[in-house]
Amino acid sequence: ATTPVLFVTAKQATADRVRGLTSGGDDYIVKPFELEELVARVQVALRRAGVGSAASRLVVSDLALDLDSRRVWRGEVEAHLTATEFNLLRVLMANAGRVVTREQILDSVWQYDFNGESSIIESFIRNLRKKVDFTEPKLIHTVRGVGYSLREP
């Protein structure tokens, strides 16, 4: 992939824009501009160039999670997850090979601190196992008394 070029300039004449784009620029934005527009244009340029597309996809073994489309596959089979199941799987896959504690899961997926015992995590892990861990090798592992790990055995 090549690095995209985005012109950020105060020159707004049509001739300047054409010169910038025909000399190899991927986009041209004239000051002043809103930061949100600049960020959007940079993201589009990166997507067009195929830069950073790997970061939008998490893969462990034959399990793949696409952050942009919010889709998940185990091998060739697409798994249909709820928003919470997707977020839980994203946390596990982003930390593949490491143990994610119950507290980290509650904080990342549900955004709250929970001091007592909660069966909510077990319930969602059970659903994830049915939907994405139905075949060998099993990827979701319980680390008793600590949390969960997504890894190959």
Side-chain angles (χ1 to χ4, degrees):
T2 59
T3 303
V5 175
L6 175 70
F7 284 99
V8 179
T9 180
K11 295 185 175 195
Q12 52 186 313
T14 301
D16 293 320
R17 292 175 194 244
V18 170
R19 192 176 315 111
L21 293 169
T22 58
S23 67
D26 293 289
D27 201 353
Y28 193 100
I29 186 169
V30 179
K31 297 188 282 187
F33 52 83
E34 294 294 323
L35 184 59
E36 293 84 10
E37 181 183 4
L38 176 63
V39 169
R41 287 176 180 264
V42 168
Q43 288 172 338
V44 166
L46 290 171
R47 190 168 53 243
R48 267 194 223 125
V51 177
S53 58
S56 70
R57 184 171 268 241
L58 301 173
V59 179
V60 176
S61 186
D62 63 343
L63 178 62
L65 180 143
D66 189 299
L67 294 163
D68 292 334
S69 66
R70 295 188 64 87
R71 295 172 69 190
V72 176
W73 297 267
R74 180 72 191 257
E76 299 297 316
V77 179
E78 184 170 357
H80 300 283
L81 305 182
T82 66
T84 303
E85 290 166 349
F86 182 90
N87 291 337
L88 175 56
L89 185 60
R90 179 187 49 78
V91 168
L92 292 172
M93 290 185 75
N95 292 285
R98 295 189 294 250
V99 176
V100 184
T101 67
R102 297 171 56 76
E103 293 75 24
Q104 290 169 321
I105 292 171
L106 285 167
D107 188 51
S108 298
V109 178
W110 284 274
Q111 284 85 39
Y112 67 85
D113 215 2
F114 190 84
N115 296 327
E117 276 300 307
S118 172
S119 60
I120 193 166
I121 297 173
E122 288 82 4
S123 173
F124 278 90
I125 290 287
R126 189 169 36 258
N127 291 342
L128 274 183
R129 283 182 169 140
K130 287 178 192 170
K131 293 180 178 183
V132 301
D133 214 16
F134 53 82
T135 186
E136 295 296 331
K138 299 295 184 191
L139 300 174
I140 301 172
H141 302 275
T142 302
V143 181
R144 298 247 179 256
V146 182
Y148 297 90
S149 178
L150 192 132
R151 59 179 161 70
E152 292 188 67

